[in-house]
Amino acid sequence: MKVLMSGNESIARGAFEHGVRFAAGYPGTPSTEIIETFAKYDGVYAEWSPNEKVALEVGIGAALAGAKALIVMKHVGVNVAADPLFTLSYTGTNGALVIITADDPSLHSSENEQDNRNYAKFAKMPMVEPADSQEAKDYIKIAFDISARFDTPVFFRTTTRVSHSKSLVTLGDLTPAKDSTAIRINAAKYVMVPANARIRRIEVEKRLQRLTEFAETFPGNRMEINDPETGIITAGMPYNYAKDVFPDFSYLKLGMVYPLPPRLIHDFASKVKKIYVIEELDPFIEEQIKAMGIDVIGKEIFPYTNEFDPGVIHRAIRGKKMARSILPDVVIPPRPPNLCPGCPHRGLFYVLGKLKTFVAGDIGCYTLSFMKPLEGLHACICMGASIGMAHGMSKALKEKGKGKVVGVIGDSTFIHSGITPLLNMAYNKSDAVIVICDNRTTAMTGMQDHPATGYTLQGEKTKELDFAKLASALGIEHVRVIDPYDIKTTRKVMKEELAKPGASVVISEGACVFKRDTKDARKAFKIDPEKCIGCKACIGLGCPPISWVKFADMPKQEVKRNVKKQEGVAFIDKELCSGCTLCEQVCNVGAVIEVI
Ligand SMILES: Cc1ncc(C[n+]2csc(CCOP(=O)(O)OP(=O)(O)O)c2C)c(N)n1
């Protein structure tokens, strides 16, 4: 049976068909749906771990017990998991372990555009890369087979386009899961003290040679000989783009991007005169082929940055735009991202933006408050960085920094990598104030549960982390809880905590609007034009339902000035308003009123 599936759904399905019953990961676009899909299958164990390092370590434990473990993360997650990863390459996996690295060329939803193929070379691990959903389903099985056969962790790389595009997939039979788990002790292989690791280090090089031999005959590395004049070496999604514009060229399509098959590449080079290497981001394949002494054209003409499309490839090779347009001539109005109407983060950042402090931010929905009009966040590097940055800045500024440095971090992000730096603040006597934005979910990546929501991935009730108790246990003396929908108290508490010596933690408790119980639905608000003086105080909240109408754009009979020089009035779209009351609180003339 053929079904339309995204790359992510196909990976989950392929793993399940192949008898994989164990998965762990941490959410991150574009990888998230893999675990979400897999978790719905019968008889599997799947978990959201607190971060990618933990997810990989959970997977290592499962694999050492003999299971097939699927570990899922976005590209930057591999940075977090890198410590166990490099040594896992030495120990091998016993069962099987495949790590999905979901890369994001063009940074659709990421803080950087790193090319994780480099990790395969760096950690001396094989990497496979599919070009569509069918290949995603087929290759995930091959990846598990490679892992088991060569006793190695295997990288499975996707990019956003492969993860999220849908294409037809033939469903396969389900391999009944065989339980081959058992406790097997082998200290020489799994205890990586120098004496043992030195021996394993040599094994890694030998394994890489055997994998190179495997790559020579791996059917996913295939030649399509057409035009003998021009050939393309490519992998992943760029293969589809290139085939679209140059169907008659010859191709060497690589399904395994590390290690490369030198004999196959030499063979291809002997069959075509001119070769282009088409790959997004780094010249990863190109440099290795050039090092084989083969003359190819790559980054001299293709961009280093962003996703490709058929037009990019055509322009680079032909030197001019394609005759036919690949995109419809529709101009889509720009829509900058914004916090949702009723978002609990808005009240907090409205206050922070006016406090004249430096706010070291973190990654999550709240990062959006760096933009106008809130401008309440001033740095964002990677998950968990806010706390260490706030501490470092306050130490460097000394007296000048007193009462002036805040770190802000989401609940999921705090659990991911904020606990250790908070402990550091207590230990090293910090003066900064840390705000944990507890909206009861991992909102930015699609509302996943985490250890403080009280629910597992399967929706089972579980232990619920108490942020206030944890902060106290780490040694933070000043811990406060605020309601970010109450602007006055939020401002008061922030000022009080900034004035105190020593580190403080403020927990901003307000559930994400999408997590709110429908019974808590509040009445929408509207503007009374008889009272509005056009001061734009409500506009300063950056709330999507609130807009501004100039008198000049209104029909004559509607124009009414309440104060001299007034140029217009605010307007609230009641269909979008969630009734959070923030605009009512900032309006000094009582022009914001409930819709009856
Ligand atoms: C290492 C790493 N893993 C995953 C992500 C993807 N990601 C971005 S923000 C975020 C968590 C956001 O949740 P939270 O901190 O609770 O803030 P919210 O969006 O709910 O406001 C995740 C998982 C990432 N950017 N980096």
Side-chain angles (χ1 to χ4, degrees), residues 26-29 52 74 76-77 80 109-111 345 363-366 383 409-414 416 437 439 441-445 450:
Y26 182 73
T29 313
E52 294 85 352
K74 69 180 285 165
V76 284
V80 178
S109 41
S110 304
E111 61 269 36
H345 301 324
I363 307 195
C365 291
Y366 49 95
M383 287 191 79
I409 188 163
D411 46 355
S412 188
T413 305
F414 176 71
H416 177 277
C437 304
N439 62 353
T441 187
T442 316
M444 186 164 230
T445 45
H450 59 60

PDB file of all heavy atoms in Angstrom, residues 26-29 52 74 76-77 80 109-111 345 363-366 383 409-414 416 437 439 441-445 450, ligand 1:
ATOM      1  N   TYR A  26      14.909  14.714  22.292  1.00  0.00           N
ATOM      2  CA  TYR A  26      14.452  15.986  22.849  1.00  0.00           C
ATOM      3  C   TYR A  26      13.888  16.767  21.667  1.00  0.00           C
ATOM      4  O   TYR A  26      14.473  16.736  20.578  1.00  0.00           O
ATOM      5  CB  TYR A  26      15.621  16.735  23.519  1.00  0.00           C
ATOM      6  CG  TYR A  26      15.149  18.028  24.140  1.00  0.00           C
ATOM      7  CD1 TYR A  26      14.386  18.022  25.313  1.00  0.00           C
ATOM      8  CD2 TYR A  26      15.407  19.249  23.538  1.00  0.00           C
ATOM      9  CE1 TYR A  26      13.905  19.200  25.861  1.00  0.00           C
ATOM     10  CE2 TYR A  26      14.938  20.436  24.088  1.00  0.00           C
ATOM     11  CZ  TYR A  26      14.186  20.399  25.250  1.00  0.00           C
ATOM     12  OH  TYR A  26      13.697  21.565  25.779  1.00  0.00           O
ATOM     13  N   PRO A  27      12.719  17.447  21.863  1.00  0.00           N
ATOM     14  CA  PRO A  27      12.107  18.114  20.716  1.00  0.00           C
ATOM     15  C   PRO A  27      12.997  19.179  20.087  1.00  0.00           C
ATOM     16  O   PRO A  27      13.804  19.805  20.764  1.00  0.00           O
ATOM     17  CB  PRO A  27      10.830  18.743  21.290  1.00  0.00           C
ATOM     18  CG  PRO A  27      10.899  18.599  22.768  1.00  0.00           C
ATOM     19  CD  PRO A  27      11.931  17.579  23.087  1.00  0.00           C
ATOM     20  N   GLY A  28      12.823  19.390  18.823  1.00  0.00           N
ATOM     21  CA  GLY A  28      13.572  20.418  18.100  1.00  0.00           C
ATOM     22  C   GLY A  28      13.229  20.323  16.629  1.00  0.00           C
ATOM     23  O   GLY A  28      13.359  19.253  16.030  1.00  0.00           O
ATOM     24  N   THR A  29      12.761  21.415  16.069  1.00  0.00           N
ATOM     25  CA  THR A  29      12.404  21.444  14.655  1.00  0.00           C
ATOM     26  C   THR A  29      13.680  21.336  13.830  1.00  0.00           C
ATOM     27  O   THR A  29      14.655  21.990  14.173  1.00  0.00           O
ATOM     28  CB  THR A  29      11.694  22.783  14.331  1.00  0.00           C
ATOM     29  OG1 THR A  29      10.705  23.002  15.337  1.00  0.00           O
ATOM     30  CG2 THR A  29      11.071  22.796  12.960  1.00  0.00           C
ATOM     31  N   GLU A  52      19.381  16.424  24.915  1.00  0.00           N
ATOM     32  CA  GLU A  52      19.888  15.466  23.928  1.00  0.00           C
ATOM     33  C   GLU A  52      20.995  14.580  24.474  1.00  0.00           C
ATOM     34  O   GLU A  52      21.147  13.428  24.054  1.00  0.00           O
ATOM     35  CB  GLU A  52      20.394  16.212  22.687  1.00  0.00           C
ATOM     36  CG  GLU A  52      19.313  16.939  21.907  1.00  0.00           C
ATOM     37  CD  GLU A  52      18.985  18.331  22.432  1.00  0.00           C
ATOM     38  OE1 GLU A  52      19.502  18.701  23.526  1.00  0.00           O
ATOM     39  OE2 GLU A  52      18.227  19.057  21.779  1.00  0.00           O
ATOM     40  N   LYS A  74      17.577  17.640  16.848  1.00  0.00           N
ATOM     41  CA  LYS A  74      17.893  18.544  15.753  1.00  0.00           C
ATOM     42  C   LYS A  74      19.408  18.733  15.721  1.00  0.00           C
ATOM     43  O   LYS A  74      20.103  18.313  16.644  1.00  0.00           O
ATOM     44  CB  LYS A  74      17.135  19.862  15.893  1.00  0.00           C
ATOM     45  CG  LYS A  74      17.544  20.761  17.040  1.00  0.00           C
ATOM     46  CD  LYS A  74      16.698  22.028  17.035  1.00  0.00           C
ATOM     47  CE  LYS A  74      17.148  22.974  15.929  1.00  0.00           C
ATOM     48  NZ  LYS A  74      16.199  24.016  15.630  1.00  0.00           N
ATOM     49  N   VAL A  76      21.574  21.154  16.336  1.00  0.00           N
ATOM     50  CA  VAL A  76      22.296  21.710  17.487  1.00  0.00           C
ATOM     51  C   VAL A  76      22.232  20.794  18.703  1.00  0.00           C
ATOM     52  O   VAL A  76      23.072  20.900  19.607  1.00  0.00           O
ATOM     53  CB  VAL A  76      21.805  23.141  17.840  1.00  0.00           C
ATOM     54  CG1 VAL A  76      22.343  24.153  16.859  1.00  0.00           C
ATOM     55  CG2 VAL A  76      20.292  23.220  17.921  1.00  0.00           C
ATOM     56  N   GLY A  77      21.262  19.894  18.707  1.00  0.00           N
ATOM     57  CA  GLY A  77      21.185  18.922  19.791  1.00  0.00           C
ATOM     58  C   GLY A  77      22.429  18.036  19.823  1.00  0.00           C
ATOM     59  O   GLY A  77      22.843  17.571  20.886  1.00  0.00           O
ATOM     60  N   VAL A  80      25.013  19.237  22.079  1.00  0.00           N
ATOM     61  CA  VAL A  80      24.757  18.931  23.492  1.00  0.00           C
ATOM     62  C   VAL A  80      25.150  17.473  23.779  1.00  0.00           C
ATOM     63  O   VAL A  80      25.687  17.161  24.830  1.00  0.00           O
ATOM     64  CB  VAL A  80      23.262  19.185  23.826  1.00  0.00           C
ATOM     65  CG1 VAL A  80      22.946  18.830  25.266  1.00  0.00           C
ATOM     66  CG2 VAL A  80      22.892  20.636  23.530  1.00  0.00           C
ATOM     67  N   SER A 109      14.139  27.458  11.578  1.00  0.00           N
ATOM     68  CA  SER A 109      13.758  27.557  12.986  1.00  0.00           C
ATOM     69  C   SER A 109      14.937  27.162  13.868  1.00  0.00           C
ATOM     70  O   SER A 109      14.808  26.321  14.748  1.00  0.00           O
ATOM     71  CB  SER A 109      12.549  26.668  13.276  1.00  0.00           C
ATOM     72  OG  SER A 109      12.686  25.439  12.613  1.00  0.00           O
ATOM     73  N   SER A 110      16.072  27.761  13.599  1.00  0.00           N
ATOM     74  CA  SER A 110      17.268  27.410  14.367  1.00  0.00           C
ATOM     75  C   SER A 110      18.143  28.628  14.580  1.00  0.00           C
ATOM     76  O   SER A 110      18.030  29.607  13.852  1.00  0.00           O
ATOM     77  CB  SER A 110      18.094  26.356  13.621  1.00  0.00           C
ATOM     78  OG  SER A 110      17.308  25.231  13.344  1.00  0.00           O
ATOM     79  N   GLU A 111      19.038  28.487  15.551  1.00  0.00           N
ATOM     80  CA  GLU A 111      19.930  29.600  15.851  1.00  0.00           C
ATOM     81  C   GLU A 111      21.208  29.578  15.028  1.00  0.00           C
ATOM     82  O   GLU A 111      21.974  30.534  15.041  1.00  0.00           O
ATOM     83  CB  GLU A 111      20.245  29.635  17.346  1.00  0.00           C
ATOM     84  CG  GLU A 111      20.950  28.399  17.906  1.00  0.00           C
ATOM     85  CD  GLU A 111      19.983  27.331  18.435  1.00  0.00           C
ATOM     86  OE1 GLU A 111      18.899  27.144  17.855  1.00  0.00           O
ATOM     87  OE2 GLU A 111      20.339  26.679  19.441  1.00  0.00           O
ATOM     88  N   HIS A 345       4.089  35.318  28.350  1.00  0.00           N
ATOM     89  CA  HIS A 345       5.400  35.978  28.291  1.00  0.00           C
ATOM     90  C   HIS A 345       5.272  37.493  28.068  1.00  0.00           C
ATOM     91  O   HIS A 345       6.167  38.251  28.411  1.00  0.00           O
ATOM     92  CB  HIS A 345       6.252  35.418  27.148  1.00  0.00           C
ATOM     93  CG  HIS A 345       6.521  33.938  27.245  1.00  0.00           C
ATOM     94  ND1 HIS A 345       6.712  33.288  28.431  1.00  0.00           N
ATOM     95  CD2 HIS A 345       6.639  32.981  26.279  1.00  0.00           C
ATOM     96  CE1 HIS A 345       6.934  31.997  28.201  1.00  0.00           C
ATOM     97  NE2 HIS A 345       6.886  31.785  26.895  1.00  0.00           N
ATOM     98  N   ILE A 363      16.363  30.335  24.485  1.00  0.00           N
ATOM     99  CA  ILE A 363      15.607  29.963  23.288  1.00  0.00           C
ATOM    100  C   ILE A 363      14.233  29.424  23.666  1.00  0.00           C
ATOM    101  O   ILE A 363      14.098  28.551  24.502  1.00  0.00           O
ATOM    102  CB  ILE A 363      16.359  28.919  22.460  1.00  0.00           C
ATOM    103  CG1 ILE A 363      17.768  29.437  22.170  1.00  0.00           C
ATOM    104  CG2 ILE A 363      15.630  28.647  21.155  1.00  0.00           C
ATOM    105  CD1 ILE A 363      18.491  28.702  21.104  1.00  0.00           C
ATOM    106  N   GLY A 364      13.227  29.967  23.026  1.00  0.00           N
ATOM    107  CA  GLY A 364      11.849  29.555  23.258  1.00  0.00           C
ATOM    108  C   GLY A 364      10.961  30.628  22.655  1.00  0.00           C
ATOM    109  O   GLY A 364      11.450  31.578  22.048  1.00  0.00           O
ATOM    110  N   CYS A 365       9.654  30.503  22.853  1.00  0.00           N
ATOM    111  CA  CYS A 365       8.745  31.519  22.306  1.00  0.00           C
ATOM    112  C   CYS A 365       9.134  32.911  22.790  1.00  0.00           C
ATOM    113  O   CYS A 365       9.058  33.889  22.054  1.00  0.00           O
ATOM    114  CB  CYS A 365       7.313  31.232  22.751  1.00  0.00           C
ATOM    115  SG  CYS A 365       6.623  29.770  21.993  1.00  0.00           S
ATOM    116  N   TYR A 366       9.556  32.983  24.049  1.00  0.00           N
ATOM    117  CA  TYR A 366       9.862  34.281  24.666  1.00  0.00           C
ATOM    118  C   TYR A 366      10.994  35.022  23.964  1.00  0.00           C
ATOM    119  O   TYR A 366      11.138  36.232  24.134  1.00  0.00           O
ATOM    120  CB  TYR A 366      10.181  34.092  26.169  1.00  0.00           C
ATOM    121  CG  TYR A 366      11.173  32.985  26.413  1.00  0.00           C
ATOM    122  CD1 TYR A 366      12.522  33.242  26.534  1.00  0.00           C
ATOM    123  CD2 TYR A 366      10.747  31.659  26.476  1.00  0.00           C
ATOM    124  CE1 TYR A 366      13.437  32.212  26.710  1.00  0.00           C
ATOM    125  CE2 TYR A 366      11.646  30.629  26.650  1.00  0.00           C
ATOM    126  CZ  TYR A 366      12.990  30.906  26.765  1.00  0.00           C
ATOM    127  OH  TYR A 366      13.883  29.891  26.912  1.00  0.00           O
ATOM    128  N   MET A 383      20.450  26.975  23.903  1.00  0.00           N
ATOM    129  CA  MET A 383      19.618  26.579  25.044  1.00  0.00           C
ATOM    130  C   MET A 383      20.434  26.541  26.335  1.00  0.00           C
ATOM    131  O   MET A 383      21.497  25.929  26.391  1.00  0.00           O
ATOM    132  CB  MET A 383      18.976  25.211  24.795  1.00  0.00           C
ATOM    133  CG  MET A 383      17.868  25.288  23.768  1.00  0.00           C
ATOM    134  SD  MET A 383      16.922  23.775  23.698  1.00  0.00           S
ATOM    135  CE  MET A 383      15.852  23.975  25.117  1.00  0.00           C
ATOM    136  N   ILE A 409      14.708  32.450  31.114  1.00  0.00           N
ATOM    137  CA  ILE A 409      14.783  31.103  30.531  1.00  0.00           C
ATOM    138  C   ILE A 409      13.423  30.412  30.634  1.00  0.00           C
ATOM    139  O   ILE A 409      12.713  30.565  31.630  1.00  0.00           O
ATOM    140  CB  ILE A 409      15.907  30.296  31.261  1.00  0.00           C
ATOM    141  CG1 ILE A 409      16.172  28.960  30.580  1.00  0.00           C
ATOM    142  CG2 ILE A 409      15.592  30.097  32.745  1.00  0.00           C
ATOM    143  CD1 ILE A 409      17.502  28.326  30.994  1.00  0.00           C
ATOM    144  N   GLY A 410      13.048  29.666  29.604  1.00  0.00           N
ATOM    145  CA  GLY A 410      11.768  28.949  29.620  1.00  0.00           C
ATOM    146  C   GLY A 410      11.838  27.714  30.509  1.00  0.00           C
ATOM    147  O   GLY A 410      12.924  27.255  30.866  1.00  0.00           O
ATOM    148  N   ASP A 411      10.687  27.150  30.834  1.00  0.00           N
ATOM    149  CA  ASP A 411      10.667  25.987  31.733  1.00  0.00           C
ATOM    150  C   ASP A 411      11.374  24.783  31.113  1.00  0.00           C
ATOM    151  O   ASP A 411      12.217  24.144  31.733  1.00  0.00           O
ATOM    152  CB  ASP A 411       9.237  25.635  32.185  1.00  0.00           C
ATOM    153  CG  ASP A 411       8.205  25.620  31.064  1.00  0.00           C
ATOM    154  OD1 ASP A 411       8.550  25.972  29.921  1.00  0.00           O
ATOM    155  OD2 ASP A 411       7.040  25.256  31.329  1.00  0.00           O
ATOM    156  N   SER A 412      11.060  24.500  29.837  1.00  0.00           N
ATOM    157  CA  SER A 412      11.690  23.348  29.188  1.00  0.00           C
ATOM    158  C   SER A 412      13.192  23.588  29.032  1.00  0.00           C
ATOM    159  O   SER A 412      14.003  22.677  29.246  1.00  0.00           O
ATOM    160  CB  SER A 412      11.048  23.115  27.821  1.00  0.00           C
ATOM    161  OG  SER A 412      11.492  21.914  27.255  1.00  0.00           O
ATOM    162  N   THR A 413      13.542  24.808  28.697  1.00  0.00           N
ATOM    163  CA  THR A 413      14.956  25.131  28.495  1.00  0.00           C
ATOM    164  C   THR A 413      15.710  25.077  29.822  1.00  0.00           C
ATOM    165  O   THR A 413      16.868  24.636  29.877  1.00  0.00           O
ATOM    166  CB  THR A 413      15.087  26.518  27.833  1.00  0.00           C
ATOM    167  OG1 THR A 413      14.322  26.504  26.635  1.00  0.00           O
ATOM    168  CG2 THR A 413      16.524  26.847  27.499  1.00  0.00           C
ATOM    169  N   PHE A 414      15.065  25.502  30.905  1.00  0.00           N
ATOM    170  CA  PHE A 414      15.708  25.444  32.217  1.00  0.00           C
ATOM    171  C   PHE A 414      16.041  23.989  32.559  1.00  0.00           C
ATOM    172  O   PHE A 414      17.135  23.670  33.027  1.00  0.00           O
ATOM    173  CB  PHE A 414      14.797  26.063  33.280  1.00  0.00           C
ATOM    174  CG  PHE A 414      15.348  25.943  34.668  1.00  0.00           C
ATOM    175  CD1 PHE A 414      16.458  26.692  35.060  1.00  0.00           C
ATOM    176  CD2 PHE A 414      14.786  25.065  35.581  1.00  0.00           C
ATOM    177  CE1 PHE A 414      16.986  26.564  36.339  1.00  0.00           C
ATOM    178  CE2 PHE A 414      15.310  24.932  36.858  1.00  0.00           C
ATOM    179  CZ  PHE A 414      16.413  25.682  37.239  1.00  0.00           C
ATOM    180  N   HIS A 416      16.371  21.561  30.415  1.00  0.00           N
ATOM    181  CA  HIS A 416      17.339  21.088  29.414  1.00  0.00           C
ATOM    182  C   HIS A 416      18.767  21.376  29.856  1.00  0.00           C
ATOM    183  O   HIS A 416      19.617  20.487  29.894  1.00  0.00           O
ATOM    184  CB  HIS A 416      17.035  21.776  28.081  1.00  0.00           C
ATOM    185  CG  HIS A 416      17.969  21.455  26.955  1.00  0.00           C
ATOM    186  ND1 HIS A 416      19.174  22.085  26.788  1.00  0.00           N
ATOM    187  CD2 HIS A 416      17.860  20.583  25.920  1.00  0.00           C
ATOM    188  CE1 HIS A 416      19.768  21.619  25.695  1.00  0.00           C
ATOM    189  NE2 HIS A 416      18.999  20.704  25.150  1.00  0.00           N
ATOM    190  N   CYS A 437      10.412  31.223  32.964  1.00  0.00           N
ATOM    191  CA  CYS A 437       9.079  31.450  32.373  1.00  0.00           C
ATOM    192  C   CYS A 437       8.354  30.113  32.307  1.00  0.00           C
ATOM    193  O   CYS A 437       8.523  29.362  31.337  1.00  0.00           O
ATOM    194  CB  CYS A 437       9.193  32.007  30.964  1.00  0.00           C
ATOM    195  SG  CYS A 437      10.152  33.487  30.854  1.00  0.00           S
ATOM    196  N   ASN A 439       5.513  28.225  31.479  1.00  0.00           N
ATOM    197  CA  ASN A 439       4.204  28.209  30.791  1.00  0.00           C
ATOM    198  C   ASN A 439       3.660  26.787  30.669  1.00  0.00           C
ATOM    199  O   ASN A 439       2.794  26.500  29.867  1.00  0.00           O
ATOM    200  CB  ASN A 439       4.285  28.898  29.412  1.00  0.00           C
ATOM    201  CG  ASN A 439       5.230  28.189  28.476  1.00  0.00           C
ATOM    202  OD1 ASN A 439       5.925  27.256  28.872  1.00  0.00           O
ATOM    203  ND2 ASN A 439       5.265  28.620  27.221  1.00  0.00           N
ATOM    204  N   THR A 441       4.769  24.038  29.430  1.00  0.00           N
ATOM    205  CA  THR A 441       4.942  23.239  28.208  1.00  0.00           C
ATOM    206  C   THR A 441       6.197  23.681  27.464  1.00  0.00           C
ATOM    207  O   THR A 441       6.798  24.703  27.797  1.00  0.00           O
ATOM    208  CB  THR A 441       3.713  23.394  27.283  1.00  0.00           C
ATOM    209  OG1 THR A 441       3.826  22.489  26.191  1.00  0.00           O
ATOM    210  CG2 THR A 441       3.570  24.804  26.741  1.00  0.00           C
ATOM    211  N   THR A 442       6.567  22.883  26.463  1.00  0.00           N
ATOM    212  CA  THR A 442       7.621  23.281  25.531  1.00  0.00           C
ATOM    213  C   THR A 442       6.879  23.872  24.341  1.00  0.00           C
ATOM    214  O   THR A 442       6.582  23.175  23.367  1.00  0.00           O
ATOM    215  CB  THR A 442       8.443  22.036  25.109  1.00  0.00           C
ATOM    216  OG1 THR A 442       8.707  21.246  26.259  1.00  0.00           O
ATOM    217  CG2 THR A 442       9.740  22.414  24.427  1.00  0.00           C
ATOM    218  N   ALA A 443       6.538  25.131  24.415  1.00  0.00           N
ATOM    219  CA  ALA A 443       5.597  25.703  23.443  1.00  0.00           C
ATOM    220  C   ALA A 443       6.193  25.825  22.050  1.00  0.00           C
ATOM    221  O   ALA A 443       5.559  25.470  21.060  1.00  0.00           O
ATOM    222  CB  ALA A 443       5.107  27.066  23.936  1.00  0.00           C
ATOM    223  N   MET A 444       7.416  26.312  21.994  1.00  0.00           N
ATOM    224  CA  MET A 444       7.970  26.665  20.688  1.00  0.00           C
ATOM    225  C   MET A 444       8.019  25.491  19.713  1.00  0.00           C
ATOM    226  O   MET A 444       7.859  25.663  18.511  1.00  0.00           O
ATOM    227  CB  MET A 444       9.357  27.245  20.858  1.00  0.00           C
ATOM    228  CG  MET A 444       9.910  27.749  19.552  1.00  0.00           C
ATOM    229  SD  MET A 444      11.297  28.799  19.807  1.00  0.00           S
ATOM    230  CE  MET A 444      10.822  30.179  18.820  1.00  0.00           C
ATOM    231  N   THR A 445       8.254  24.294  20.221  1.00  0.00           N
ATOM    232  CA  THR A 445       8.393  23.156  19.314  1.00  0.00           C
ATOM    233  C   THR A 445       7.091  22.362  19.197  1.00  0.00           C
ATOM    234  O   THR A 445       7.080  21.292  18.597  1.00  0.00           O
ATOM    235  CB  THR A 445       9.519  22.225  19.790  1.00  0.00           C
ATOM    236  OG1 THR A 445       9.373  22.038  21.193  1.00  0.00           O
ATOM    237  CG2 THR A 445      10.874  22.810  19.506  1.00  0.00           C
ATOM    238  N   HIS A 450       7.329  17.912  29.613  1.00  0.00           N
ATOM    239  CA  HIS A 450       8.694  17.840  30.150  1.00  0.00           C
ATOM    240  C   HIS A 450       8.579  17.532  31.642  1.00  0.00           C
ATOM    241  O   HIS A 450       7.451  17.473  32.172  1.00  0.00           O
ATOM    242  CB  HIS A 450       9.465  19.121  29.837  1.00  0.00           C
ATOM    243  CG  HIS A 450       8.847  20.381  30.373  1.00  0.00           C
ATOM    244  ND1 HIS A 450       8.626  20.603  31.709  1.00  0.00           N
ATOM    245  CD2 HIS A 450       8.385  21.486  29.742  1.00  0.00           C
ATOM    246  CE1 HIS A 450       8.078  21.786  31.881  1.00  0.00           C
ATOM    247  NE2 HIS A 450       7.908  22.342  30.695  1.00  0.00           N
TER     248      HIS A 450
HETATM  249  C1  LIG B   1      20.052  22.033  21.723  1.00  0.00           C
HETATM  250  C2  LIG B   1      18.695  22.404  21.251  1.00  0.00           C
HETATM  251  N1  LIG B   1      17.705  21.510  21.316  1.00  0.00           N
HETATM  252  C3  LIG B   1      16.459  21.833  20.897  1.00  0.00           C
HETATM  253  C4  LIG B   1      16.196  23.082  20.395  1.00  0.00           C
HETATM  254  C5  LIG B   1      14.804  23.435  19.917  1.00  0.00           C
HETATM  255  N2  LIG B   1      14.126  24.306  20.882  1.00  0.00           N
HETATM  256  C6  LIG B   1      14.151  25.631  20.762  1.00  0.00           C
HETATM  257  S1  LIG B   1      13.441  26.383  22.043  1.00  0.00           S
HETATM  258  C7  LIG B   1      13.026  24.962  22.775  1.00  0.00           C
HETATM  259  C8  LIG B   1      12.307  24.882  24.089  1.00  0.00           C
HETATM  260  C9  LIG B   1      11.296  25.921  24.280  1.00  0.00           C
HETATM  261  O1  LIG B   1      10.537  25.625  25.404  1.00  0.00           O
HETATM  262  P1  LIG B   1      10.532  26.526  26.673  1.00  0.00           P
HETATM  263  O2  LIG B   1      11.895  26.791  27.167  1.00  0.00           O
HETATM  264  O3  LIG B   1       9.617  25.902  27.653  1.00  0.00           O
HETATM  265  O4  LIG B   1       9.929  27.916  26.140  1.00  0.00           O
HETATM  266  P2  LIG B   1       8.521  28.206  25.451  1.00  0.00           P
HETATM  267  O5  LIG B   1       8.698  28.055  23.980  1.00  0.00           O
HETATM  268  O6  LIG B   1       7.530  27.253  26.022  1.00  0.00           O
HETATM  269  O7  LIG B   1       8.214  29.613  25.781  1.00  0.00           O
HETATM  270  C10 LIG B   1      13.465  23.903  22.012  1.00  0.00           C
HETATM  271  C11 LIG B   1      13.226  22.517  22.373  1.00  0.00           C
HETATM  272  C12 LIG B   1      17.284  23.985  20.313  1.00  0.00           C
HETATM  273  N3  LIG B   1      17.147  25.201  19.805  1.00  0.00           N
HETATM  274  N4  LIG B   1      18.499  23.635  20.747  1.00  0.00           N
END
